[in-house]
Amino acid sequence: MSPRFIIRNYLRGLKFPFCPGCGNFTVVNSFLRAVYELGHYDLQGFVFCSGIGCAAWIPSPYFLADSIHTPHGRSIPVAIGVKLFRPELRVVVFGGDGDLAGIGLNHLLHAARRNVDINVIMVNNMVYGMTGGQVAPTTPFGTVTTTTPYRSFERPLDVTRLVATAGANYAAKWTTAHPKQFKESIKRALQTRGFSFVEIVSQCPTAFGRRAGFKTVAEMLQWFKQNAIPKEKAEKMSLEELEGKIIVGEFVFRTAPTLGDNLRQMLMEARKTCG
Amino acid sequence: MEGLLKPGIYFWQGNEACAYGAIAVGCRFFAGYPITPSSEIAEHLARLLPLVNGVFIQMEDELASLNAVIGASWAGAKAMTATSGPGFSLMQESIGYAFMTETPCVIANVQRAGPSTGQATKGAQGDVMQARWGTHGDYNAIVLSPNSVQEMFELTIRAFNLAEKYRTPVILLADEVVAHMREKISVPPINEVQVVNRKEPKKGDRAFFALEEVAPMPAVGEGFNVSVTGSTHDEYGVRFTANPEVHRRLIGNLMNKIESHKHEIVELETHNIDGCSTVIVCYGCTARTAYEAVEEAEKRGVKVGYVRLKTLWPFPTETIGELAQQAEKIVVPEMNLRQIFYEVQRAACGKAEVVALNKVGGGEMITPEEILRGVVP
Amino acid sequence: MDKRIEIIIAGLGGQGAVLAGQILGRAAVYDGKNVVQTQSYGAEARGSAAKSELIISDGKIAFPMVRKCDVLVVMSQPALDKYVNNLKEEGILLVDTLVGDIPETRAKVYKVPATEKAEKVLGNKLYANVIMLGALVKATGITSWKAMEKAIIDSVPEKARQANLEAFKEGTKNIVM
């Protein structure tokens, strides 16, 4: 019989620094439950890499595991370095939208292209939260932030769609109003060989919600629910109809050979030719 | 491994010697981005590393390259990257990160004429101060300066050994001349190559950072639950983003672990320095010019002293200070518009006249005649 | 042979001047000499000069650049025009017979039908550089034959070995004073 899920088995016992109502709590719970449901009763064999921002603080140093907290945007290259040298380790990246899709987007796309066997979880709060609520590449058009005081005037990026196109073996997107689906996607991601990406649109009541006109966390979650369109349904809708919507679901599931597979194949061939 | 690196005499390019030096000392991971005039280091390692169970990967840019190297180092690898000015500028972020997280790694910077794209194929010595001060905040750098193909091999080995011993990034600050020239080189038997490995933790160890002496370094995946962060942290890797004491202790110990071992790190080559009224202080390819000038001056009956900095940083302030006590004039030739010159001047404390001799552009080296004009009356 | 000898090998990009310099340097190392070889390519992609410089010495070689050379090997007219002034007065000039316009010089001049023989005997003008090396060894004794042959073997791809060794021999037989 498997032991009960006890969250503190996975944590160092330090207090998480997140604001009340932060979506990161949902992410922590869903992730660790997914890990538990896959039969991991601790985090041995996991290595967590994360960059800069609130989401990057999810594993570092709170998870009772190896964690590498990197410069802003650089978690993925560090993760690739770990994975290539120690392929047997399970390397998971946590980051926000600014970290992974702003300053680190280049690395994210190339990691997907390479299909490197790591899992990336992007907590998209649509804003630079830790630095005080500046506009992000994911901020919905027309939102008031501290650096768009009149309103934002750029279109947001649909990161999951981009990553799916770039070559990931698995890519899914949910919101914190879909904790169950999110957890299931994390399980699928962890079971995927190759690059997997799970995005969760999350509430930042402190740096986003207030200015964007949401009075409570519940209001934001309600907004997520109302605006979330399942991918299958979205495929039948026009671009105009999809304006401002959050398309959720599983975007891709492939079994293409991973970077590690291809690298090992090349090494075998090289050694054969060179004795 | 033995098959790859048989002892003997070879005719190698500097960058090739660097790659073989890395293999000899146990480098098993390289991540880099192509850039002239360093690319041959990557090309040789792309060929060699797969043959010794190592990993080579070309990344999307220099930021990714050094970060992959840092990741691999935490996975237990001896790891390096190679670049030149523009890429070295991009790497400054992660050099600071490697220093802060006490991650052993080697960065070979083959200098070319800058700033910006400058002259990609032409040698220069313009990154000397950047190598010391390029990243933000307070830190200490270890920077080595090879002046021959032989030293591209030997100082690459030394760079890894210093990186492992002091758990810090080490910069091999080469230049286009030394990196692209081909020269006779003698490769020792592999078992005679000195190899230093990072200190491993004992079971139950928890303090992996910011100790007074260099802390043991676990690899990830070994059950130590190590927490690595570029933010201010205590000895357990726990972040303290506001506590002044934790920051002072961390930075103090990181600075001191290099400063207090300066005597073991600094290496100089000297010739004729006792009793010479004129001394040349030089490094890298320009030191070859200086050496020829010193020999020529001797033929003309003038004894000129010669000090070559094999380590640029930490800087041998005390040695140069003592030199200034006995010499009247110190000449500092550099392929830049004065960099180490100011450091020599500072160390000389006005005791000797310090004269700069500079040349940049087109990869043209300072010639022995140009130095002779400055040192022979 | 002098204790120290400085050589420039120059031609158009693609004629193999740089590779010839590398082979020569390697051969001299096999003979137990100290060698420094540097090279430069013109910035222009087409018609630019490619140059290989070598210093071969029994003693230590400090300054690595060639200023006045003892031997100049040229394979194109622009290379000759550009570097002839770098040749010492009593130096040695080896020049491909293709190069028609040789200025008045006190240097000892050897003409080598390198490109011609490469095309006629070996079927490809790319072998001209190694033919020039053969002529150089014959004219100056700068390296031993054995070392040069070993250097050629170690420097070119396996499938091009035989042809290059033939090219070297061809060069030793075809010098016009």
Side-chain angles (χ1 to χ4, degrees):
Chain A
M1 205 185 101
S2 57
R4 267 185 333 120
F5 175 67
I6 304 169
I7 197 164
R8 65 169 186 275
N9 288 354
Y10 299 89
L11 299 173
R12 270 183 216 273
L14 301 163
K15 191 177 172 294
F16 279 106
F18 309 128
C19 306
C22 176
N24 280 354
F25 290 113
T26 310
V27 178
V28 169
N29 278 304
S30 306
F31 177 80
L32 292 177
R33 274 210 174 264
V35 163
Y36 163 80
E37 287 174 18
L38 289 176
H40 303 283
Y41 304 127
D42 58 34
L43 293 172
Q44 294 314 296
F46 281 81
V47 178
F48 296 94
C49 297
S50 59
I52 298 298
C54 296
W57 280 9
I58 288 173
S60 164
Y62 304 98
F63 284 5
L64 187 59
D66 293 318
S67 63
I68 307 180
H69 179 231
T70 77
H72 198 15
R74 314 300 167 219
S75 50
I76 286 177
V78 170
I80 290 176
V82 171
K83 184 68 188 181
L84 286 181
F85 200 70
R86 292 285 300 276
E88 76 280 14
L89 296 176
R90 205 182 266 280
V91 182
V92 181
V93 171
F94 277 92
D97 45 314
D99 197 38
L100 293 170
I103 190 168
L105 183 68
N106 194 25
H107 309 312
L108 176 63
L109 288 185
H110 283 285
R113 170 183 69 80
R114 292 183 169 109
N115 200 23
V116 56
D117 190 12
I118 62 174
N119 317 108
V120 177
I121 295 163
M122 185 178 91
V123 185
N124 176 6
N125 60 7
M126 301 169 285
V127 79
Y128 284 89
M130 191 176 267
T131 46
Q134 295 82 10
V135 70
T138 42
T139 305
F141 188 89
T143 308
V144 171
T145 74
T146 56
T147 48
T148 52
Y150 307 110
R151 64 163 178 80
S152 67
F153 47 88
E154 294 178 25
R155 296 191 311 175
L157 184 66
D158 189 343
V159 185
T160 300
R161 208 150 51 104
L162 189 64
V163 168
T165 310
N169 262 1
Y170 182 73
K173 179 174 180 175
W174 301 104
T175 78
T176 44
H178 307 79
K180 235 180 147 169
Q181 293 93 325
F182 174 56
K183 187 190 72 184
E184 289 308 313
S185 272
I186 288 175
K187 283 161 71 176
R188 289 201 80 172
L190 288 172
Q191 289 171 301
T192 298
R193 292 188 77 252
F195 190 78
S196 63
F197 182 82
V198 183
E199 174 179 354
I200 181 161
V201 178
S202 174
Q203 73 278 12
C204 173
T206 310
F208 181 86
R210 266 186 316 136
R211 285 183 205 96
F214 297 100
K215 288 194 184 67
T216 62
V217 169
E219 247 181 59
M220 278 195 90
L221 290 176
Q222 196 55 38
W223 179 64
F224 290 164
K225 253 184 210 151
Q226 280 165 0
N227 276 276
I229 307 281
K231 183 173 169 284
E232 296 70 26
K233 194 175 164 193
E235 276 159 8
K236 298 187 193 92
M237 290 166 70
S238 69
L239 284 175
E240 289 75 33
E241 286 172 312
L242 287 171
E243 192 68 44
K245 302 293 183 196
I246 304 167
I247 304 170
V248 296
E250 292 182 315
F251 282 60
V252 69
F253 194 87
R254 279 190 281 251
T255 53
T258 70
L259 176 68
D261 295 340
N262 290 330
L263 185 65
R264 275 185 289 282
Q265 182 65 32
M266 181 275 292
L267 289 181
M268 259 166 51
E269 289 164 16
R271 281 196 209 109
K272 234 179 256 165
T273 0
C274 299
Chain B
M1 168 87 179
E2 280 73 19
L4 280 185
L5 205 60
K6 293 196 185 88
I9 304 294
Y10 293 91
F11 183 58
W12 276 350
Q13 195 188 48
N15 281 338
E16 189 176 7
C18 172
Y20 276 105
I23 294 290
V25 74
C27 171
R28 292 298 177 266
F29 187 95
F30 180 99
Y33 186 81
I35 187 166
T36 305
S38 78
S39 298
E40 295 87 358
I41 298 174
E43 288 165 1
H44 282 288
L45 285 171
R47 178 175 56 83
L48 295 171
L49 277 170
L51 305 177
V52 292
N53 290 323
V55 178
F56 172 94
I57 189 157
Q58 185 171 310
M59 296 299 285
E60 54 273 20
D61 56 31
E62 287 88 349
L63 304 162
S65 299
L66 185 48
N67 281 290
V69 162
I70 290 167
S73 185
W74 277 101
K78 287 187 184 176
M80 78 174 291
T81 187
T83 188
S84 185
F88 193 56
S89 291
L90 287 178
M91 286 180 187
Q92 294 307 322
E93 166 187 283
S94 305
I95 290 174
Y97 177 58
F99 178 79
M100 193 68 150
T101 53
E102 301 181 68
T103 307
C105 56
V106 172
I107 302 114
N109 173 11
V110 179
Q111 295 171 95
R112 66 191 226 186
S116 189
T117 313
Q119 295 183 316
T121 60
K122 303 303 179 189
Q125 297 181 305
D127 306 349
V128 171
M129 283 297 163
Q130 185 190 24
R132 173 63 186 89
W133 299 108
T135 198
H136 56 280
D138 291 299
Y139 68 105
N140 258 330
I142 299 180
V143 180
L144 311 182
S145 170
N147 85 330
S148 64
V149 173
Q150 187 74 41
E151 280 194 356
M152 284 295 280
F153 182 79
E154 288 171 1
L155 292 192
T156 299
I157 291 170
R158 182 152 201 262
F160 273 98
N161 287 341
L162 290 169
E164 292 285 316
K165 182 164 184 188
Y166 298 109
R167 268 187 68 183
T168 195
V170 174
I171 294 158
L172 182 79
L173 193 65
D175 54 63
E176 187 276 339
V177 177
V178 167
H180 273 171
M181 68 165 55
R182 282 183 172 74
E183 199 167 20
K184 189 169 99 172
I185 171 178
S186 165
V187 173
I190 191 75
N191 56 5
E192 286 174 22
V193 172
Q194 197 205 351
V195 177
V196 177
N197 295 318
R198 63 193 69 170
K199 190 174 159 192
E200 282 178 20
K202 293 190 296 288
K203 203 165 179 258
D205 276 356
R206 288 177 59 233
F208 304 127
F209 302 95
L211 303 183
E212 275 183 29
E213 275 302 315
V214 182
M217 179 175 174
V220 294
E222 304 288 337
F224 285 97
N225 294 328
V226 60
S227 163
V228 182
T229 175
S231 299
T232 294
H233 50 271
D234 66 9
E235 61 268 43
Y236 307 112
V238 174
R239 248 187 327 272
F240 285 81
T241 55
N243 184 315
E245 269 317 305
V246 173
H247 188 79
R248 281 177 208 138
R249 192 173 64 227
L250 168 67
I251 300 304
N253 284 341
L254 293 190
M255 296 290 280
N256 192 54
K257 76 176 176 185
I258 291 171
E259 192 59 34
S260 66
H261 295 96
K262 194 170 152 178
H263 57 286
E264 293 169 25
I265 299 168
V266 170
E267 270 190 358
L268 301 169
E269 182 194 339
T270 61
H271 179 69
N272 269 354
I273 50 172
D274 290 328
C276 275
S277 63
T278 302
V279 179
I280 304 172
V281 174
C282 54
Y283 57 92
C285 68
T286 306
R288 301 179 69 112
T289 308
Y291 193 88
E292 190 136 326
V294 166
E295 286 200 317
E296 184 56 33
E298 222 169 327
K299 278 186 206 155
R300 298 186 198 175
V302 182
K303 256 181 97 180
V304 177
Y306 167 93
V307 176
R308 177 164 73 90
L309 309 170
K310 287 174 78 170
T311 349
L312 285 167
W313 308 106
F315 189 77
T317 310
E318 300 75 16
T319 313
I320 300 296
E322 286 160 23
L323 203 66
Q325 301 267 9
Q326 55 153 46
E328 284 163 24
K329 184 156 106 175
I330 299 176
V331 179
V332 187
E334 301 178 84
M335 278 171 81
N336 56 43
L337 298 176
R338 299 188 178 187
Q339 295 203 14
I340 271 296
F341 164 79
Y342 292 111
E343 199 65 18
V344 173
Q345 199 175 48
R346 193 173 66 77
C349 288
K351 300 269 175 20
E353 182 196 3
V354 182
V355 180
L357 206 152
N358 307 88
K359 197 187 219 177
V360 290
E364 283 179 10
M365 292 181 72
I366 296 172
T367 63
E369 293 73 24
E370 285 167 331
I371 294 185
L372 277 167
R373 255 175 261 143
V375 298
V376 177
Chain C
M1 213 57 238
D2 265 13
K3 207 173 174 298
R4 179 187 171 105
I5 182 161
E6 307 197 7
I7 304 127
I8 294 177
I9 304 175
L12 295 173
Q15 280 188 312
V18 168
L19 178 62
Q22 290 169 12
I23 295 172
L24 174 58
R26 187 172 255 169
V29 165
Y30 292 160
D31 276 338
K33 307 275 188 187
N34 289 318
V35 181
V36 174
Q37 183 260 339
T38 58
Q39 61 207 39
S40 69
Y41 305 90
E44 316 81 13
R46 185 178 275 267
S48 70
K51 178 179 60 156
S52 191
E53 299 183 0
L54 291 106
I55 303 173
I56 300 173
S57 172
D58 292 322
K60 179 178 168 129
I61 304 165
F63 187 65
M65 302 298 177
V66 170
R67 283 153 289 175
K68 285 281 183 182
C69 63
D70 304 281
V71 181
L72 175 63
V73 180
V74 286
M75 300 166 70
S76 77
Q77 189 70 49
L80 177 62
D81 299 343
K82 193 167 177 189
Y83 298 115
V84 73
N85 291 331
N86 291 63
L87 183 61
K88 286 180 186 167
E89 270 204 3
E90 309 288 327
I92 294 169
L93 174 65
L94 270 87
V95 54
D96 193 304
T97 43
L98 271 188
V99 179
D101 190 8
I102 301 171
E104 194 116 319
T105 171
R106 288 177 57 191
K108 198 166 185 181
V109 180
Y110 295 93
K111 292 182 191 166
V112 187
T115 306
E116 188 196 318
K117 290 286 174 191
E119 278 177 333
K120 277 193 189 151
V121 181
L122 294 145
N124 193 330
K125 64 180 178 184
L126 288 178
Y127 295 105
N129 60 342
V130 177
I131 294 181
M132 287 305 271
L133 285 180
L136 175 68
V137 169
K138 175 76 176 176
T140 64
I142 194 165
T143 69
S144 66
W145 278 49
K146 216 177 132 192
M148 184 59 85
E149 282 179 345
K150 183 166 157 49
I152 290 168
I153 288 167
D154 292 349
S155 301
V156 302
E158 202 173 333
K159 59 177 195 252
R161 264 180 206 168
Q162 210 42 50
N164 276 290
L165 289 171
E166 278 169 40
F168 171 68
K169 278 197 197 106
E170 200 58 38
T172 61
K173 295 190 297 206
N174 285 284
I175 307 176
V176 186
M177 291 288 286

